[in-house]
Amino acid sequence: MPKVDVIVIGAGPAGSAAAAVAAREGMAVALIDKATFPRDKLCGGGVTERSRAYFQQAFGQDPDFDNILSTSDVEFWHAGKRLAQMQDVAPIHLAMRLSFDDQMVNRALELGALDFTGKRISAIEGTSVTLDDGQEITAQVLIGADGVNSQVARHLFGTAFDRDRIGFALETEAPKTDDSKALRIDFNAADWGYGWKFPKTESVTVGVGGLISHNPDMKARMQSYTDLLDLEDLPRIKGHFLPFGHFRTQPGKGATLLAGDAAGLVDPITGEGIAYAIKSGELAAKAAVAALNQGRADKAFALYLLALRPIHRNLRIARWLRKLVFSGRYQNAFFDRMGRSGRLRHDYLNVLAGRLEYPALLMKSGRRIPSFLLRGLRRRS
Ligand SMILES: Cc1cc2nc3c(=O)[nH]c(=O)nc-3n(C[C@H](O)[C@H](O)[C@H](O)COP(=O)(O)OP(=O)(O)OC[C@H]3O[C@@H](n4cnc5c(N)ncnc54)[C@H](O)[C@@H]3O)c2cc1C
């Protein structure tokens, strides 16, 4: 029976980061994933400078961006009309998750994590697990980084997510028809969400996503969006849940911690999830190491929750601000302003590209928000 210090379930950005950090700190770590790598994950693959910085911190090296298209060319659209094109922004790197995640899992294994990829879990008992080949692995801390439909979250709390508050996205890899490097975002391609067209080196990722509660027919939204973009003969369209603004206030219990999508750590305005997945994986590992060094594995969650505070604060502010971007009451005023105000466009883009965090945005724009709210209300009445 393998005995380790930390078990990490899920080897996406959150799990690989957690395993890499714990292994670097000298812990014995088992990294389990039901998939065999390289494996794909439905995702736009937009890697911001925020994600890149967190990657460097967790994995101790820069991501390999060879064969990845990086762009500083961003277009915002609303209702089929181009609001703005910006070409002087921080680069956004457009990765394929097949190879991007492979880098991370390989790095975690290189740093000493034990490889249990390609293995399913048949039972979780405390912080130990049984694999479906009958193997048992025991540990003192368990990190659930197993995505939005987390088995570990279900084990702890009965459900992985609240369908009424979560998002859903559809996406496809369209063939490349031109050399444009413009990353395109279409607000209102979905309600409380958006559509996107991300150019990659070999294809173009096209998708729509938003809150399920506001988009009962996401397939129709995707059809309208691909019609708008004049795309035909598309490969299979796939769907995936997205914890878009619904984070868990209690992401764990005792010696069991949840990281990344399992903890609901996706930006409620931009949909960015890779950055907080990596960062929360790192924080979960550090909390585990600190608790184990004190001989108090059961304190891991308390330490982790404390470390997550800045991320939770960002997400709370973003969840409040998204009403200005997405709600029927303020949306037109917001986009009207976005079309006219270079400052607002830059701020939005700097948030998107990872150069500005929400608390700083609020400090910068706080004084303008009341008059904006008032204009939105007047328009409505
Ligand atoms: C359509 C779409 C587009 C997106 N675009 C972007 C984008 O452009 N930029 C961005 O930053 N974010 C984007 N996101 C969000 C981003 O994909 C996620 O936030 C991110 O992948 C979360 O990482 P994670 O490690 O928590 O989970 P995941 O990447 O989902 O990894 C979870 C891992 O756990 C494994 N697993 C699951 N269950 C089990 C189990 N029971 N046992 C063992 N292993 C298990 C899975 O095989 C998987 O490898 C997008 C999401 C969607 C749905």
Side-chain angles (χ1 to χ4, degrees):
M1 179 192 296
K3 205 170 168 188
V4 293
D5 298 307
V6 181
I7 291 174
V8 180
I9 303 183
S16 291
V21 170
R24 261 164 70 191
E25 296 280 338
M27 296 286 140
V29 185
L31 179 57
I32 306 172
D33 200 296
K34 63 184 181 184
T36 302
F37 285 72
R39 67 96 180 87
D40 213 353
K41 150 84 176 78
L42 201 70
C43 183
V47 177
T48 63
E49 287 292 296
R50 180 188 292 113
S51 297
R52 180 189 196 158
Y54 292 164
F55 186 113
Q56 288 164 339
Q57 289 156 16
F59 296 100
Q61 62 184 32
D62 209 25
D64 178 1
F65 283 142
D66 284 355
N67 302 318
I68 283 182
L69 190 150
S70 296
T71 187
S72 292
D73 186 350
V74 178
E75 293 179 8
F76 291 120
W77 291 66
H78 182 244
K81 186 177 142 208
R82 190 164 71 185
L83 289 176
Q85 176 166 28
M86 304 175 77
Q87 292 174 312
D88 55 348
V89 297
I92 299 177
H93 313 279
L94 299 165
M96 298 303 290
R97 291 289 297 271
L98 187 76
S99 49
F100 190 66
D101 286 22
D102 202 37
Q103 273 186 54
M104 292 186 271
V105 76
N106 282 328
R107 179 68 178 149
L109 300 179
E110 193 181 293
L111 289 166
L114 302 172
D115 186 358
F116 289 91
T117 54
K119 308 270 182 200
R120 285 181 179 271
I121 305 221
S122 59
I124 301 174
E125 184 71 45
T127 50
S128 299
V129 301
T130 307
L131 304 179
D132 62 3
D133 60 7
Q135 252 189 113
E136 284 177 32
I137 311 175
T138 62
Q140 296 189 66
V141 176
L142 173 67
I143 298 178
D146 46 349
V148 64
N149 202 17
S150 169
Q151 186 177 351
V152 181
R154 277 183 276 136
H155 169 72
L156 284 182
F157 302 114
T159 52
F161 54 79
D162 177 353
R163 212 187 144 84
D164 293 338
R165 300 179 66 189
I166 202 168
F168 186 74
L170 290 171
E171 213 177 59
T172 186
E173 289 300 319
K176 228 172 145 87
T177 53
D178 58 43
D179 288 333
S180 168
K181 285 182 80 176
L183 178 157
R184 172 172 169 160
I185 290 176
D186 285 75
F187 296 105
N188 101 324
D191 286 338
W192 290 73
Y194 58 94
W196 60 91
K197 185 178 168 208
F198 288 2
K200 306 281 175 71
T201 44
E202 306 289 337
S203 59
V204 181
T205 309
V206 176
V208 293
L211 292 179
I212 299 173
S213 53
H214 291 261
N215 296 277
D217 193 353
M218 196 64 89
K219 266 191 184 165
R221 304 307 298 248
M222 182 69 170
Q223 184 66 52
S224 307
Y225 189 49
T226 54
D227 287 351
L228 177 80
L229 297 178
D230 221 4
L231 298 172
E232 286 172 359
D233 300 328
L234 290 170
R236 205 173 129 219
I237 292 170
K238 297 181 191 162
H240 204 277
F241 289 103
L242 180 70
F244 189 51
H246 178 44
F247 67 90
R248 279 188 179 278
T249 49
Q250 195 194 330
K253 212 187 252 182
T256 302
L257 317 177
L258 298 171
D261 276 11
L265 302 175
V266 170
D267 185 302
I269 294 179
T270 65
E272 180 180 16
I274 296 171
Y276 287 156
I278 295 175
K279 181 44 93 183
S280 61
E282 178 191 335
L283 297 176
K286 286 185 169 161
V289 171
L292 288 174
N293 285 341
Q294 292 170 29
R296 290 288 309 271
D298 60 313
K299 279 180 75 179
F301 175 64
L303 295 172
Y304 179 50
L305 194 59
L306 210 59
L308 276 178
R309 269 191 189 166
I311 294 182
H312 281 169
R313 189 185 57 216
N314 280 2
L315 292 176
R316 277 198 185 93
I317 296 173
R319 210 164 50 187
W320 184 80
L321 284 174
R322 84 168 163 183
K323 291 184 189 134
L324 306 185
V325 184
F326 295 133
S327 85
R329 175 170 292 179
Y330 303 113
Q331 198 181 59
N332 285 338
F334 179 82
F335 291 115
D336 190 34
R337 182 132 191 98
M338 193 148 185
R340 288 184 290 113
S341 164
R343 188 161 49 180
L344 179 60
R345 288 198 296 269
H346 264 104
D347 285 350
Y348 189 92
L349 214 66
N350 281 330
V351 168
L352 180 78
R355 285 273 159 93
L356 184 66
E357 301 297 340
Y358 289 108
L361 175 69
L362 206 58
M363 290 283 279
K364 272 184 90 194
S365 325
R367 272 181 300 119
R368 294 196 294 277
I369 289 176
S371 64
F372 174 82
L373 291 176
L374 212 62
R375 266 203 304 279
L377 287 171
R378 279 207 199 107
R379 259 168 192 272
R380 180 114 174 138
S381 57

